[in-house]
Amino acid sequence: MAPLIDRFETLFEKFNLCVAVCVAGSIGVFAALVPFDFFSRKLGWRGLDWLNEGAEYGLYAGVFLSAAWVLYKGAHVRVDIILTALPARLSARVERAIDLFGALLCLGMAYFGAKGTLSSYVFGSLPDKDLQIPNWIVLAVFTASFIMLAIEFLFRFRRAGRPDHTISTDIGF
């Protein structure tokens, strides 16, 4: 039986893939709704007044929530010249230090995001937009995404310590 941390990592990978698929689907839905809105307005029908702001919220949530999947895939912006030039043991140590720093940074961002989320919830603040999604929900997406990133950085830290670890270049689905 696999250790609990291995099962959690597998479940977390599947969750991140599910999030990435949902984000890709939402982009597809908005891509289909934009021409629909355009043609419905040209035909004199009522358009989708919420579409522009809905797309803004969707892209915001999509970028933040899929960041952990992008990090897992190694598709984020990263320069591996230094890591590949160093001896294997030193490269693994540098990579682990970077991953640990990334996890700590993300936990700090999640902490401040959680404070902002709670404050916004208490005050009941709303944006000055037609599509009014409470600010605490938007900030909760920010907080959740940084928690997910911290978890992925810690898994990267764990994977970088294994002898069979290689730098991931696998991107896409």
Side-chain angles (χ1 to χ4, degrees):
M1 184 169 191
L4 184 61
I5 190 74
D6 289 338
R7 288 186 288 169
F8 178 70
E9 184 174 6
T10 301
L11 184 64
F12 188 69
E13 288 172 15
K14 289 179 182 179
F15 173 73
N16 278 330
L17 179 60
C18 180
V19 168
V21 168
C22 290
V23 168
S26 72
I27 292 170
V29 167
F30 283 115
L33 287 176
V34 168
F36 173 78
D37 180 53
F38 175 77
F39 287 118
S40 66
R41 289 175 192 267
K42 288 297 180 187
L43 293 173
W45 302 339
R46 183 175 180 169
L48 303 173
D49 297 332
W50 54 268
L51 184 60
N52 187 32
E53 291 171 355
E56 287 176 13
Y57 283 122
L59 287 172
Y60 165 82
V63 166
F64 274 98
L65 292 175
S66 63
W69 177 76
V70 172
L71 181 62
Y72 168 72
K73 287 297 199 176
H76 58 290
V77 175
R78 175 176 155 156
V79 179
D80 293 326
I81 294 170
I82 296 172
L83 291 178
T84 55
L86 294 173
R89 285 181 68 130
L90 182 58
S91 175
R93 285 185 177 164
V94 170
E95 186 171 1
R96 290 183 90 193
I98 291 169
D99 291 336
L100 188 58
F101 177 74
L104 292 172
L105 183 65
C106 288
L107 287 173
M109 295 295 286
Y111 170 76
F112 289 112
K115 282 182 68 169
T117 301
L118 183 60
S119 174
S120 184
Y121 179 77
V122 168
F123 290 118
S125 60
L126 291 169
D128 187 24
K129 294 184 172 197
D130 291 329
L131 182 60
Q132 291 191 328
I133 295 177
N135 288 338
W136 71 268
I137 294 174
V138 175
L139 291 171
V141 167
F142 176 88
T143 304
S145 69
F146 275 102
I147 291 170
M148 291 167 58
L149 279 166
I151 292 169
E152 181 55 37
F153 269 119
L154 292 173
F155 281 138
R156 288 174 60 88
F157 177 84
R158 182 174 176 254
R159 288 190 298 265
R162 295 180 184 158
D164 61 341
H165 172 71
T166 57
I167 296 171
S168 173
T169 58
D170 178 30
I171 58 172
F173 287 106

